[in-house]
Amino acid sequence: MIVARPKSFEDIKRYVGNRKKVAIVGCGGCVTVRPVGGQKQVQELAALLRLWAKKEALTRGSQPLTIEEETILRQCEPEFINSLEGRFKDCEAIISLACGVGVQCLADKFPELEVFPGVDAVFMGATIEPGLYWERCVGCGNCIIGETGGLCPVSRCAKSLLNGPCGGSLGGHCEVSPETPCVWQLIYERMEQRGNLGALDRIMPIKDWSVRPGRLVLEHLRVEKKES
Amino acid sequence: MDEEKTAKPSAEVQETSRLKSGSNLERLLKEGKFVVTAELGPPRGAARETVERKANILRGYADAFNITDCQTSVVRMSSIASGVILLEMGLEPVIQMTCRDRNRIGLQSDLLGAAALGMKNLLCLTGDHPKFGDHPGAKPVFDLDSIQLLSVVKAMRDEKRLQSGTKIEVEPRFFLGAAENPFADPFAFRARRLAKKIEAGAEFIQTQIVYNVERFAQWMTAVRAMGLHKKAFILAGVTPLKSLGMARYMKNNVPGLEVPDEIIARMEKKKSKTEGIDICLEIIEKLRKIEGVAGIHIMAVEWEEVVPQLVERASLLPRPTPSISAVPTC
Amino acid sequence: MDNPNIIEEAPCIAACAINQDARDYVQLIARGRFEEAFQLVRSKNPFPASCGRICTRRCEEACRRSAVDEPIAIAWLKRFLADKDLDLPQEKPPQEYPEKIAIIGAGPAGLSAANDLALMGYQCVIFEELLEPGGMLSVGVPRYRLPRQSLDKDINETLSLGVELRTGVKIGKDLPIDSLFQEGFKAVFVAIGAHRPSRLNIPGEDLPGVIPALELFRKISIGGGVKIGHKVAIIGGGDTALDAARTALRIGAREASLVYRRSLEEMPCEEEGRREAEEEGIKFFLLAAPVEILGKNKVETLKCIRMRLGDPDSSGRRRPIPIPGSEFTLEVDKVLVAIGQSPELDTFSKAGIRITPKDLIGVDEETMATSRPGVFAGGDAVLVGGTLIEAVAHGKRAARAIHSYLRGEKPVMPQRPSPLKDLSPQRLSLIKRTPRERMSTLPVESRLRDFGEVELGYSDQLAVAEARRCLNCGAGAVVDPELCAACLTCVRVCPYDVPEISQEERVAKIGPDCQSCGICVVECPARAITLKDRYEDQGRIALERALQTFSLKDGRPRIITFLCQYDPHCAGLSQVLDEAGENVRAVEVSCVGKIDPLLILKAFEMGVDGVVVAACSPGDCPFQKGHSWAKKRFDHLVVHIAALGMERQRLQWFSPSPREQFLRKLGGMLEELKKLGAVSSHN
Ligand SMILES: Cc1cc2nc3c(=O)[nH]c(=O)nc-3n(C[C@H](O)[C@H](O)[C@H](O)COP(=O)(O)OP(=O)(O)OC[C@H]3O[C@@H](n4cnc5c(N)ncnc54)[C@H](O)[C@@H]3O)c2cc1C
Ligand code: SF4
Ligand code: SF4
Ligand code: SF4
């Protein structure tokens, strides 16, 4: 899932500025599960902003701040986004607590409104333990994990090395930080455990980095739009 | 750190007959000479004079001169440009090229240019992570890794084709080198990984700085067991310690560098530059005796002045190196 | 009870004959909401003062807390409420229906039926043979267990509803049952109890000095003097026998010996009563049965035989078998027989009401209807060894059934909820052990002087502390499956490992072992979890109330102090703060782990100038982790508060102990806030 972290309140304050009414829209998907953008966070951010507006009443030109709070099931799906049709009429801006995907979908739906990101999506990753997440995939479009013992060096090696660890691998850690495990150490150990170290002697071919922006068509999932 | 380098005489010399690049370094190694290379760090600025000053200090004390490629991810004058200055001064450069800052297009383009400018020795490196340098927010490229870079250059040279498969008329003729860190982990994988580099095209290897000779010898045993010392020339890296502070810094802050406690203790006792030089000489002495070491690579970072006395006291003079002229390799 | 969210009930509720809302009133007591608690009790039970004292406490037997340490003292808590003399007068209900109903017997069964029927709007007349109402509670149960004024309190509540009581009228003797119908009563409830003592059927039983225990009680209750002699033997092993023995000591006997056929374990009596009897010096001759009573003109010797226990009989207890040749004698002046009693049924069998082979009135167990239309019966008259609460239950059922009968409807009887299963063993070690709060008892010396009540009751503080032990079974957290995102947060944060997400269900499920700590409720990012407990709102209402009292005055600054109700150091602090002046208001929460940061923000939004959280020390948290969650959230909130530009001093975490220090810090905060002024920059 996508892992995100809340933006600093400084940024959010800047987004809201002197506006009188804004909406905060949460997403029930990844950011609810990795809890930074669900209903709870929508409510909390709204409360904080109202309080801030109260505190800054003078500097904001005595503008009271009204906030519409909403959380939809997933901000990256047109059907759910469409359920917001007609909403936020008198809002001047929207703060989305979804990942960048959701923010953009929301912005497409409300092109006349300013839409701001309330969180920073940082990566696609796993929960290692509650509150600790690590990146596990970059969506490179060309998965090689089958040859690296089920561990992804593209996302988990600081240099995305494909042919073994660099000279900075020490004591199982990556040179970039002692908290970062060296994925090549892990790959080596797993291959050793499997008795398949020989597989690592093969020179991994140069990777075909996919074209961005990615576009994916799954023909079997397409639904013909009815012509009206 | 990935900048691995150094040298010492390798016993067996094969294939002297056909030189790939015609470089002095390649020739000497293939003749079985115990070679000395030295590192020259380009300046953080456009001062040609700095390169010239350092080159003048080093002149005559080594057979080829490594020019680092923005070492530790700090922006410095480019390796190829500095190499041109050396060529113009009649010294032979070893161009270092990392995968950190250029994708496959940039790498190939620069290397074609380097060859055209007369560069003959190329050390292919992965490169340090930008996090360590003066631009920690830089987007690292790492489109290729060092092994892939070796294979790309080898194919350009031997098969006259670019990575894309496109044929080229005139190939760059490089003597290909790679670095290796015998002290990094997983230790058992280090020799195997060297084999991959050699298979990819490395003909000479410069290692990480050796302080722990025992551990290095262990690694060499593994290297010899795989016969790798017969497939590539191994130059052991050395660096004289300037001070106790430097020793400690090296021990604690440079990933993949092992400084044994006894060396720290010796530096603590004497607290002098001469002690650092003495230690380095002792290390060189021991390295020369290890089978398969074809030379040494001296990395006296920002202390180029020490190189002459080090080479002299190690009885590695005179260097059998004639002055060369700036003639393109192709 | 009656919470639509709850399907399986707390075992305490399920075990009770009237399904008294034990958990709910205990939870209300835990929150100091005594009036609501008492109203809840009384809404189901017209005998709170009596039940709080002498009930057989099926609820406590079933209490899930027993597996952790000891059951909740549910009955004592009820007694506590009843004894508080809360001024909660019931309104006399208007008459809704024309039909009059006759009730025979003013014991708990009769009175309960009258109570409920009166509340429905029927006119009821109770006919009672004796001069006082109360039945066995009045003439059986001794005063030291159930003081007259407590019983009267219960009875008067019912009578105040407009129920008419005609004492000194014995139906069958003074008034035939059929005449009731002729007089215009449309239905009759027979609640005559069981007042005919069972006989021993041994030689010498009719000697002077051999008297049924019931007679002794009755004499004492109507104030007649009784000569008891020095040495008294009591035959029987139930509560009545114990009561007889203890009564004997109180009216002058020097020695009271209880003779019982089986062993201690089989005694059909309350544990407490037995312990107290032992304390008072009563001798127990167990596994012994009387075979003959000897004496010239009056009782002199009681001859007994030793018994051993054989195989279990139909009651499940092991059958006592005499050991030949093991006879022994006791020198006695009086023999009190307390081996049971049965109803006097002649009048009723003559009136065409079916009598069972066990000499009880035959009834439909659901509706209490007898074989004669319009006649219902309940209480000891239909049960062997009945109890107070069963009599109440029968009365209540009969009231419903009579209503349906009169309205010509099919009777709808209350559902009996099924109990939750026991706490799972792996949970036990996670629940903090806290022993039961003891109630003080009268010292033995002064007990025996008169009929003063032995158990002295709880203070407010003890009652609250005891109530807080309740695990709130079945009323814990519940997940709205529509909102749950299966994020696992609840699974991860629960200190008791209760929530589960199965691959099949795909949403979180919170089982009956939930301890209502509320941590997951606050943490759930989808806001999918609520506590079923309708008395728990995690401080919301309390905050609103506190804010309202502020708005009456202009005092600035205003500080809201969140207090942990579970922390003994916070006990009484709320009053201290409320009384201290207009600047500080307390908001009590049952564990600071229940405080949602949003609530603190809301307090600021609503205009307070500062917020204090006063929490127990980490090791004291009854939910183990409540404290640490509260602290973590607090620290996080401090960062946010700072980020929005509010002064750090406005949000404080003070330990409530030592109290002087707490009050000093609070005073310091007040001073500082005075300087800072309001949060808002407009006024
Ligand atoms: C000594 C003793 C101790 C007990 N201790 C406990 C205890 O600790 N806990 C507990 O739960 N239970 C206890 N019980 C049992 C409890 O008191 C009874 O189960 C309960 O009182 C039964 O209520 P009832 O209304 O059915 O009958 P009763 O309380 O017996 O009331 C029946 C009433 O009907 C009247 N009556 C009878 N016949 C007629 C008639 N023909 N016309 C008019 N009036 C009539 C009687 O005078 C009496 O007042 C105890 C009983 C005894 C004897
Ligand atoms: S712990 Fe409370 S709710 Fe649970 S059975 Fe005991 S009294 Fe009832
Ligand atoms: S915390 Fe809330 S959303 Fe997450 S699994 Fe539990 S109930 Fe569902
Ligand atoms: S309320 Fe507390 S005990 Fe109950 S499920 Fe939630 S976290 Fe667990």
Side-chain angles (χ1 to χ4, degrees), chain A residues 13 39-40 43 50 55 58, chain C residues 522 525 527 605 643 645 681:
Chain A
K13 284 195 287 200
Q39 180 67 4
K40 173 182 160 78
Q43 292 173 346
R50 279 192 298 264
K55 164 101 189 130
L58 280 187
Chain C
V522 178
R527 293 277 190 238
E605 267 191 63
S681 56

Side-chain angles (χ1 to χ4, degrees), chain A residues 9-10 13 28 32-33 35 38-41 43-44 46-48 50-52 54-59 62 127 130, chain C residues 485 487 489 492 522-527 596-598 601 604-607 640 643-647 679-682:
Chain A
F9 198 68
E10 281 307 309
K13 284 195 287 200
T32 288
V33 172
Q39 180 67 4
K40 173 182 160 78
Q41 287 76 25
Q43 292 173 346
E44 282 175 4
L48 282 166
R50 279 192 298 264
L51 210 49
W52 164 74
K54 191 170 158 175
K55 164 101 189 130
E56 296 300 321
L58 280 187
T59 48
S62 291
T127 304
Chain C
C487 74
T489 300
R492 289 166 178 160
V522 178
E523 292 304 315
C524 171
R527 293 277 190 238
D596 192 326
L598 204 56
L601 291 174
F604 281 119
E605 267 191 63
M606 301 305 287
H640 281 304
L644 65 79
M646 258 167 67
E647 298 82 358
V679 173
S680 159
S681 56
H682 23 213

Side-chain angles (χ1 to χ4, degrees), chain C residues 379-499:
Chain C
D380 283 3
V382 308
L383 269 182
V384 179
T387 59
L388 163 58
I389 196 66
E390 284 165 321
V392 173
H394 284 180
K396 294 176 75 71
R397 283 187 169 263
R400 272 209 196 202
I402 288 169
H403 171 67
S404 306
Y405 165 77
L406 294 176
R407 305 270 68 79
E409 292 159 3
K410 207 171 157 290
V412 189
M413 287 297 135
Q415 292 299 305
R416 295 177 210 265
S418 52
L420 288 175
K421 54 182 192 302
D422 288 346
L423 284 167
S424 56
Q426 82 259 27
R427 214 81 63 202
L428 298 180
S429 60
L430 300 174
I431 299 173
K432 190 168 173 171
R433 286 192 169 51
T434 320
R436 186 184 250 221
E437 296 293 341
R438 302 277 156 214
M439 151 160 105
S440 49
T441 50
L442 211 60
V444 175
E445 315 81 66
S446 43
R447 277 188 213 172
L448 297 181
R449 257 180 255 136
D450 54 26
F451 281 81
E453 192 168 25
V454 172
E455 291 165 337
L456 297 176
Y458 276 143
S459 62
D460 283 15
Q461 204 175 325
L462 282 185
V464 169
E466 175 60 19
R468 283 176 191 158
R469 298 178 59 241
C470 171
L471 307 177
N472 204 13
C473 305
V478 62
V479 176
D480 180 344
E482 303 284 313
L483 294 177
C484 173
C487 74
L488 289 161
T489 300
C490 52
V491 175
R492 289 166 178 160
V493 302
C494 176
Y496 303 98
D497 300 335
V498 179

Side-chain angles (χ1 to χ4, degrees), chain C residues 200 202-210 233 235 290-304 327-335:
Chain C
L200 286 167
I202 56 169
E205 189 170 3
D206 295 318
L207 274 172
V210 182
I235 319 290
V291 286
E292 191 175 359
I293 301 169
L294 306 161
K296 280 208 192 99
N297 298 318
K298 57 179 271 299
V299 180
E300 284 165 10
T301 311
L302 174 66
K303 191 168 159 197
C304 302
E327 288 85 354
F328 65 99
T329 58
L330 295 171
E331 301 303 314
V332 292
D333 307 321
K334 273 264 172 358
V335 174

Side-chain angles (χ1 to χ4, degrees), chain B residues 169-316:
Chain B
E169 283 291 310
V170 181
E171 78 282 14
R173 289 176 52 200
F174 285 118
F175 183 42
L176 284 177
E180 185 52 74
N181 183 352
F183 309 104
D185 286 320
F187 183 69
F189 191 46
R190 286 290 145 186
R192 289 180 98 120
R193 190 158 176 270
L194 182 67
K196 281 177 91 167
K197 289 187 174 168
I198 293 169
E199 190 193 332
E203 293 148 300
F204 71 97
I205 306 297
Q206 292 175 315
T207 79
Q208 172 65 294
I209 307 168
V210 181
Y211 289 110
N212 187 341
V213 182
E214 228 169 276
R215 192 105 200 261
F216 177 80
Q218 251 176 345
W219 174 73
M220 279 302 294
T221 309
V223 167
R224 286 194 304 271
M226 296 174 79
L228 299 177
H229 63 310
K230 297 197 176 158
K231 295 184 183 157
F233 303 98
I234 294 166
L235 317 192
V238 295
T239 291
L241 290 166
K242 214 171 182 176
S243 63
L244 174 62
M246 176 179 172
R248 288 207 176 121
Y249 181 85
M250 292 273 211
K251 184 180 173 79
N252 301 326
N253 302 337
V254 183
L257 215 163
E258 253 203 83
V259 186
D261 289 337
E262 54 195 281
I263 290 187
I264 302 279
R266 277 179 69 179
M267 291 303 289
E268 251 164 9
K269 225 167 168 189
K270 293 269 175 57
K271 290 195 174 63
S272 73
K273 285 184 188 178
T274 44
E275 183 67 5
I277 296 167
D278 289 349
I279 293 171
C280 190
L281 286 167
E282 287 167 35
I283 292 173
I284 294 171
E285 200 48 43
K286 288 184 196 155
L287 290 172
R288 286 175 79 167
K289 295 198 182 109
I290 297 174
E291 186 192 346
V293 174
I296 56 164
H297 174 54
I298 306 169
M299 290 165 274
V301 194
E302 296 304 313
W303 194 22
E304 282 82 3
E305 309 76 43
V306 78
V307 176
Q309 55 164 309
L310 205 61
V311 179
E312 183 172 0
R313 287 180 59 196
S315 316
L316 289 166

